[in-house]
Amino acid sequence: MHCWSCTAARCLDQYFELRTREVEQVDVDPRLVAVVERMLNRCCEHGQFEQAVGVALEGRRLDKLEEVVQRSNDVPATLGYALKVCQKLVINRDFRQQVLRLLIRLYEECDEPDYVVICQCLMFLDDAPEVSKILSRLLNSNKPDDVLLAYQIAFDLVENELQSFVIKVQEQLPKPPEAAAPAADGAAAPAVPAADGAAPPAAGDTATAMDTAAAAAAAAAAEANGNAAAAAPELAPELVDKLNKLRDILNGKTPIGLNLEFLYHHNKADLQVLKNIKGTVDARVSVTHSATILANALMHAGTSIDTFLRENLEWLSRATNWAKFSATAGLGVIHRGQLQQGKALMAPYLPRDGHSGSPYSEGGALYALGLITANHGAAMQPFLRESLLASSNPIIQHGACLGLGLAALGTNDDELFEDLKNVLYTDDAVAGEAAGIGMGLLCCGTGSDKAQEMLAYAHDTQHEKIIRGLAMGLGLICYGIEEAADTLIEQMSREQDPILRYGAMYVLGLAYRGTGNNAAVQRLLHFAVSDVSDDVRRAAVLCLGFVLLGAPEQCPKIVALLAESFNPHVRYGAAMAIGIACAGTGLREAVQLLEAMLSDSTDFVRQGASIAMALVLVQQPESVVEPFRKKLTKSIGDKHEEVMARMGSIMAAGVLDAGGRNATIGLRSSSGYFRRTSVIGLAVFTGYWYWYPLSYFLSLSLAPTAVIGLDHTLKAPKLELVCNARPSLFAYPPPVTTETSKEVAKVEKAVLSTTAKARERQKKKDAEKQKKEEGAMEVDEHKPAAAAVAAAGDKPAAAAAGDAEDATSGSATADGAAAAAASAGDASKASTADGSTGDKQDGKD
């Protein structure tokens, strides 16, 4: 039996290898095929359907996968397992899409199809028309649960943050009559005056032309009416109401509104924490000042509460130049999600006709608009585009490019791409860097051929900032396309310019994000230990975190040795890789590894370890987080700590309390799929190493930690949830009191070794003096006071006066006083030859 098992295992391994190489037209021995098929049959006969699914997927036998599912006792469970294995273990992207197509067909053949799963699969296949058909079918159903199911599917689609796909779904939905009527009326309006004007025959050819135009317009209006009627023939009022609610969900109005309401009413951010940070950092140091503003923005992200800024306007005004740009952008983080009011909130800082304000404030405000409307910025795109075209100031262009890229994230709009490319071609370092990142945001996840244009310009320009922006943009374009990015990765990794090799690491990490692809991991490890550039090595280790997003428990094991590297850049990358892969998990192995790095000898390694630890521990129980909070407080208040390390501690404090202590780093949706905007935000955030304003991209990764239940009217009813966990597990941290903050912020006074030795010597001499005084039994009590003063010699004035009053004699006592004066530094010696008293000398002093 044992030999037979070994033989079968070898047959399976050989068969899997040959099937993987099927593209090379490799012939498979029929006897080998027969062995595998007998194994599949045996698994099915013994009820081991999960093993059979694994064999079928490993062998790339879709026909056998279908057979296994149909023979299963529990078809939905087997389909669910097959889908899970397909998403996690199937490496080849093309084959994975074939499996998804098969699973969709098998799901639809079930008695009760799981439309939620079907629509998720269709989303990965970018099949928006089919999703629209399913949603329309559910809305038209007479079953109330089907309508609720359609709403739930829409919520899931929005949560996955694929803006371009959701827009396509909305376009395919039936158009309500009231939406089509205004367009028809607008088209028909010019026809009436034209027809009236053409009535007099004397108008000649002009009248004929106008009449023809009127007739054409009328025909177009009639055709539009006919198309509208065909698209939505006599829609019932109930159906129109359902469609409107569905559209409100898909365009983000309903889900964002619910999240904003939750974040505002349950804000538990402790302003005393910010006040303590503000009191301990020097406002003249721009790094820590800007980090404090960032911490405030993250703490109040999405809450619309800017109390701290309003109460400290004078302190805030210390921000100048790019610090002012970042501070203004921070308002976008605080007001994130205010799709309707965003422009009005930022109006005081936005560019205005006939009024020239600070370009840093105006650029930061445009950047803030992008942060406010990220992934839902269709209505804001025209204004941002107009602001970009209207200004020639590179600072304003910088903010406009970032804002436009965020508002149009992943839409791949050709006109906007040309506008950003024109800014890039001005070859200005400041505007060009933002244009490169903006182009990447615009084409995020498309794998567009436009990447070659960007790479070509990176070869032409001499500005490192532009090359770095383009390198990051190329990584964003290749998000999630896996092996389709291999050609670009190979091309960039062979470049002589280290910045382009640095970009190749991001292309590799983001293209294979969450796949755990062994080839990608090996390649990143190779660059991490062999490249001559510290920047490339740091980026290679850091991007391991993106590849291992799907298996966070593996990341600490893989980077454990790199965390002990002699190169501090590699150690920093290891810390950030753990923070990215294990964000929000509280993984014990990750915490243990990062704790050792918090006391690293290099300041920026401690900075990275603090930020990574905050990413891992966000929204974890306070019993776990409290020791780390104390370390942060100590680091922030330590005046002798390096600025870079203090900056990391301040940023970490903001991450821990993100969203009013109600948000976490949400890289996955509730359905288990990666949220594109969140992963992209975390990737661009790591660029703060070179450019601090990019740190505000971290806000895109935040997701509220709330359970929100709705009824059929999309209103939140009163719910009671039973939780058997102890209350302290989910309790908010206790507020920081002023007394506690003072006690914690107190720094122990440093004592020099020389001072300690001097004190010890003085104690010994005082002891000797006391013994001699006790041993002196015979004292001449009648000796004049003047003689005592003369015997004191060079004693301090105060000591001489004391001796005169006591009228004590003896050269030993005088020598002891002189020694005490010498140990104290011989300060203010009494050298009065006439024997004057110490009171007079004190008066002179």
Side-chain angles (χ1 to χ4, degrees):
M1 175 67 75
H2 178 70
C3 294
W4 184 90
S5 300
C6 293
T7 303
R10 285 198 295 270
C11 289
L12 286 175
D13 290 340
Q14 186 177 358
Y15 180 76
F16 295 157
E17 182 181 357
L18 292 174
R19 291 290 295 176
T20 305
R21 295 166 53 194
E22 190 178 19
V23 291
E24 303 175 9
Q25 303 297 325
V26 177
D27 293 330
V28 182
D29 193 324
R31 293 173 297 178
L32 201 59
V33 176
V35 172
V36 174
E37 290 182 350
R38 284 200 301 271
M39 286 288 296
L40 284 169
N41 289 330
R42 187 174 180 182
C43 288
C44 293
E45 289 172 359
H46 289 78
Q48 298 173 336
F49 297 104
E50 291 186 355
Q51 288 86 336
V53 167
V55 172
L57 288 174
E58 282 280 352
R60 300 195 176 190
R61 291 291 299 273
L62 295 180
D63 56 333
K64 288 299 178 181
L65 176 61
E66 183 176 0
E67 180 183 336
V68 169
V69 171
Q70 291 174 345
R71 292 177 62 179
S72 171
N73 299 327
D74 189 350
V75 173
T78 307
L79 283 172
Y81 178 77
L83 179 62
K84 180 180 178 181
V85 172
C86 173
Q87 293 291 347
K88 288 191 173 183
L89 302 179
V90 176
I91 297 176
N92 187 275
R93 189 165 180 250
D94 293 335
F95 178 66
R96 190 187 312 128
Q97 291 181 346
Q98 295 176 28
V99 175
L100 290 176
R101 288 286 182 191
L102 174 62
L103 294 179
I104 290 171
R105 180 167 62 80
L106 294 176
Y107 267 115
E108 290 176 339
E109 292 175 358
C110 295
D111 295 334
E112 295 183 358
D114 190 341
Y115 286 114
V116 173
V117 176
I118 291 173
C119 289
Q120 293 285 349
C121 294
L122 290 170
M123 179 190 68
F124 284 110
L125 297 171
D126 199 26
D127 194 346
E130 193 62 32
V131 173
S132 298
K133 290 179 183 177
I134 293 174
L135 292 176
S136 300
R137 191 186 314 153
L138 293 173
L139 290 181
N140 283 298
S141 174
N142 295 325
K143 299 179 182 179
D145 289 348
D146 286 349
V147 178
L148 296 178
L149 183 59
Y151 294 158
Q152 184 60 53
I153 291 172
F155 276 114
D156 290 343
L157 292 176
V158 172
E159 192 179 14
N160 289 320
E161 298 180 341
L162 294 175
Q163 182 181 4
S164 56
F165 181 79
V166 173
I167 291 174
K168 293 177 186 176
V169 172
Q170 293 184 69
E171 292 173 349
Q172 298 291 331
L173 289 174
K175 303 294 188 298
E178 53 268 22
D185 294 339
V192 176
D196 292 342
D205 295 338
T206 303
T208 303
M210 293 177 65
D211 197 21
T212 304
E223 184 179 355
N225 284 328
N227 291 339
E234 299 294 332
L235 292 179
E238 296 83 0
L239 182 58
V240 172
D241 182 57
K242 295 174 185 176
L243 279 171
N244 290 334
K245 289 180 179 177
L246 186 67
R247 290 181 183 278
D248 286 343
I249 297 173
L250 291 173
N251 61 29
K253 180 180 177 181
T254 300
I256 291 177
L258 292 168
N259 287 334
L260 286 177
E261 185 177 355
F262 165 74
L263 291 173
Y264 176 77
H265 289 290
H266 294 83
N267 172 46
K268 299 294 181 181
D270 193 348
L271 289 180
Q272 188 61 45
V273 174
L274 287 169
K275 291 178 182 177
N276 294 345
I277 296 174
K278 170 180 168 288
T280 54
V281 302
D282 189 348
R284 295 171 296 180
V285 180
S286 178
V287 174
T288 52
H289 186 269
S290 297
T292 307
I293 297 174
L294 171 65
N296 170 66
L298 293 175
M299 285 184 184
H300 295 92
T303 63
S304 301
I305 297 174
D306 54 2
T307 306
F308 178 76
L309 298 179
R310 294 181 183 276
E311 292 178 352
N312 298 278
L313 292 176
E314 182 181 354
W315 174 82
L316 186 64
S317 65
R318 301 285 183 90
T320 58
N321 299 334
W322 285 107
K324 181 183 290 187
F325 178 94
S326 298
T328 311
L331 293 174
V333 176
I334 295 173
H335 297 293
R336 190 188 172 205
Q338 297 284 357
L339 303 182
Q340 306 298 328
Q341 304 296 327
K343 188 176 178 181
L345 290 169
M346 300 305 302
Y349 311 97
L350 290 170
R352 286 174 284 180
D353 295 336
H355 176 76
S356 58
S358 168
Y360 295 99
S361 294
E362 294 177 357
L366 294 172
Y367 179 21
L369 281 182
L371 293 170
I372 290 173
T373 61
N375 210 44
H376 299 281
M380 195 60 66
Q381 291 175 24
F383 173 76
L384 290 169
R385 184 186 181 194
E386 179 184 344
S387 300
L388 176 63
L389 299 177
S391 176
S392 59
N393 189 306
I395 301 169
I396 297 177
Q397 288 179 334
H398 184 94
C401 288
L402 292 176
L404 193 57
L406 286 166
L409 184 67
T411 58
N412 200 24
D413 188 290
D414 290 332
E415 292 185 3
L416 296 181
F417 185 85
E418 289 298 321
D419 293 334
L420 292 172
K421 189 167 70 172
N422 291 335
V423 175
L424 178 70
Y425 285 171
T426 61
D427 205 42
D428 182 89
V430 172
E433 180 183 27
I437 297 175
M439 293 160 76
L441 293 169
L442 184 66
C443 304
C444 174
T446 61
S448 171
D449 294 336
K450 297 168 183 173
Q452 291 300 326
E453 295 182 46
M454 297 168 64
L455 184 59
Y457 189 77
H459 290 138
D460 295 339
T461 186
Q462 300 298 316
H463 295 290
E464 287 189 1
K465 286 176 69 68
I466 295 180
I467 300 173
R468 191 171 292 116
L470 288 169
M472 178 64 74
L474 289 170
L476 302 181
I477 289 177
C478 295
Y479 172 84
I481 65 174
E482 300 179 30
E483 60 267 12
D486 285 348
T487 303
L488 183 62
I489 294 170
E490 185 68 24
Q491 184 180 358
M492 293 180 66
S493 61
R494 294 180 180 276
E495 294 282 352
Q496 291 185 349
D497 190 341
I499 301 177
L500 290 177
R501 296 201 306 276
Y502 161 89
M505 301 303 102
Y506 276 92
V507 174
L508 182 55
L510 291 176
Y512 287 95
R513 63 93 186 90
T515 61
N517 186 283
N518 286 333
V521 171
Q522 291 174 3
R523 202 163 187 178
L524 288 171
L525 288 173
H526 169 73
F527 279 101
V529 298
S530 65
D531 201 279
V532 297
S533 169
D534 285 337
D535 290 345
V536 178
R537 298 179 69 177
R538 184 182 67 249
V541 183
L542 184 149
C543 288
L544 283 170
F546 291 109
V547 177
L548 298 172
L549 280 176
E553 66 281 355
Q554 297 295 328
C555 188
K557 301 175 185 177
I558 292 176
V559 304
L561 291 177
L562 295 173
E564 299 176 1
S565 169
F566 71 94
N567 189 321
H569 291 267
V570 174
R571 298 201 299 272
Y572 172 89
M576 292 300 292
I578 295 171
I580 291 168
C582 305
T585 63
L587 199 65
R588 182 176 301 175
E589 293 80 1
V591 173
Q592 291 175 349
L593 198 56
L594 290 172
E595 276 182 347
M597 303 181 75
L598 288 174
S599 55
D600 194 274
S601 59
T602 306
D603 54 355
F604 63 78
V605 177
R606 296 198 299 275
Q607 178 194 82
S610 298
I611 296 172
M613 183 75 91
L615 293 175
V616 173
L617 293 180
V618 62
Q619 284 292 289
Q620 295 300 308
E622 187 59 20
S623 58
V624 179
V625 182
E626 185 179 7
F628 180 55
R629 286 188 190 274
K630 291 182 178 179
K631 290 182 180 179
L632 292 180
T633 304
K634 181 179 179 182
S635 173
I636 295 170
D638 187 357
K639 302 293 185 183
H640 303 286
E641 179 66 284
E642 284 89 344
V643 174
M644 288 294 99
R646 296 181 75 190
M647 171 193 171
S649 298
I650 296 170
M651 294 171 67
V655 174
L656 281 180
D657 294 343
R661 294 178 172 172
N662 288 306
T664 187
I665 305 297
L667 301 180
R668 285 178 179 266
S669 64
S670 58
S671 53
Y673 301 111
F674 292 106
R675 300 168 65 227
R676 185 176 68 180
T677 306
S678 298
V679 179
I680 290 302
L682 198 54
V684 181
F685 160 74
T686 59
Y688 85 89
W689 176 277
Y690 301 102
W691 191 233
Y692 288 161
L694 297 181
S695 56
Y696 289 89
F697 269 82
L698 182 60
S699 63
L700 303 181
S701 302
L702 300 178
T705 51
V707 177
I708 302 176
L710 304 177
D711 56 18
H712 66 283
T713 62
L714 299 184
K715 301 296 182 182
K718 291 185 178 180
L719 295 175
E720 289 186 1
L721 300 178
V722 178
C723 180
N724 294 322
R726 62 185 186 278
S728 61
L729 192 62
F730 300 103
Y732 291 105
V736 177
T737 61
T738 308
E739 292 77 16
T740 304
S741 65
K742 287 182 180 179
E743 181 181 348
V744 172
K746 185 177 179 181
V747 180
E748 186 178 354
K749 186 177 180 180
V751 179
L752 299 177
S753 60
T754 54
T755 305
K757 291 178 181 177
R759 288 179 179 175
E760 289 296 327
R761 287 197 301 268
Q762 181 62 33
K763 286 181 181 179
K764 289 181 181 179
K765 291 180 179 179
D766 289 345
E768 292 176 0
K769 175 183 175 182
Q770 187 176 357
K771 286 182 180 179
K772 290 180 179 179
E773 287 179 350
E774 292 176 354
M777 301 298 296
E778 297 180 358
V779 179
D780 186 2
E781 298 178 355
H782 303 287
K783 186 177 287 187
V789 174
D794 290 339
K795 289 191 298 181
D803 288 347
E805 291 176 3
D806 294 337
T808 59
S809 63
S811 60
T813 305
D815 292 341
S823 65
D826 292 340
S828 64
K829 288 185 179 181
S831 57
T832 53
D834 59 350
S836 60
T837 63
D839 292 337
K840 294 181 179 179
Q841 184 64 34
D842 289 344
K844 292 180 180 179
D845 290 339

